[in-house]
Amino acid sequence: VAQGYADDVCEHVRNGTNLIFFGAAGCGKDHIAMAVCRIAMRCGREVVWYSGAQMRSDVRRFVGNKDFSEDELFDRLGRPEILWLSDVTTHGAPLTDFQSDFLYRVVDYRSRQLRPVLLTANFNDTKKFAELIGFATWDRLRYRSIAYNCDWESYRAPQVVYRGAAS
């Protein structure tokens, strides 16, 4: 899936085709996304990586802050040819209404401008994920998208488990 997207990255960018990787934490979704993004950048495409944790923090930061505007963040996420959003939600916690609304605005704008989003998410249940980010946002993300469920185990899992007393 990733190789196919990367092989035709210019066409996918032109068509606004999103790429979505779902799966357990630690299974390598961001590593695969990074490989796709490197190929896109070698082809002269602009890619911006943004973590969900940073987005949520920035959205909280511009509430009541005159030095940091919502428009600045919106431009940062809306402008690039490819926006890579990593782990938009964490620990199964839903976004606040404000965060959800902001994410919807970004995804909706990018969808209308045919600017793809590369999304990685620590979920296998897309219905639960849609509940957490908002159904309208999910609907726009999955439109014109290629999605792949990375259904293998975390590479961070212990390779060997030792039993008994350590000497």
Side-chain angles (χ1 to χ4, degrees):
V1 170
Q3 185 65 51
Y5 189 96
D7 288 345
D8 295 326
V9 72
C10 291
E11 186 68 23
H12 289 303
V13 169
R14 192 172 20 262
N15 294 333
T17 307
N18 298 322
L19 182 59
I20 302 170
F21 293 110
F22 284 97
C27 70
K29 298 174 299 294
D30 284 311
H31 288 281
I32 297 168
M34 175 59 77
V36 171
C37 289
R38 284 184 170 192
I39 292 169
M41 290 185 293
R42 275 192 233 128
C43 295
R45 300 299 183 185
E46 178 188 18
V47 178
V48 169
W49 173 84
Y50 216 73
S51 75
Q54 186 65 49
M55 183 195 73
R56 291 187 308 279
S57 174
D58 286 349
V59 168
R60 281 191 304 271
R61 200 170 93 206
F62 64 64
V63 175
N65 185 342
K66 295 177 181 146
D67 297 327
F68 186 69
S69 77
E70 183 177 347
D71 291 338
E72 287 177 66
L73 183 56
F74 184 83
D75 183 58
R76 191 181 315 158
L77 302 180
R79 176 188 37 78
E81 288 180 283
I82 300 171
L83 174 63
W84 171 12
L85 289 176
S86 174
D87 298 328
V88 176
T89 64
T90 54
H91 313 298
L95 301 178
T96 66
D97 288 344
F98 194 66
Q99 292 166 340
S100 181
D101 180 61
F102 182 79
L103 180 61
Y104 171 81
R105 284 186 51 225
V106 169
V107 169
D108 180 59
Y109 174 79
R110 295 188 64 81
S111 178
R112 286 184 286 110
Q113 299 297 316
L114 297 178
R115 293 184 183 164
V117 173
L118 194 163
L119 179 83
T120 60
N122 290 332
F123 286 93
N124 287 319
D125 182 348
T126 57
K127 289 181 184 177
K128 174 71 173 165
F129 184 69
E131 289 175 20
L132 296 175
I133 68 167
F135 290 104
T137 302
W138 172 242
D139 193 54
R140 279 157 181 76
L141 279 169
R142 68 184 184 162
Y143 178 62
R144 282 193 315 266
S145 72
I146 298 169
Y148 189 75
N149 183 5
C150 303
D151 60 355
W152 48 89
E153 289 188 31
S154 169
Y155 76 93
R156 294 183 192 108
Q159 301 301 311
V160 178
V161 177
Y162 293 97
R163 298 185 192 272
S167 46

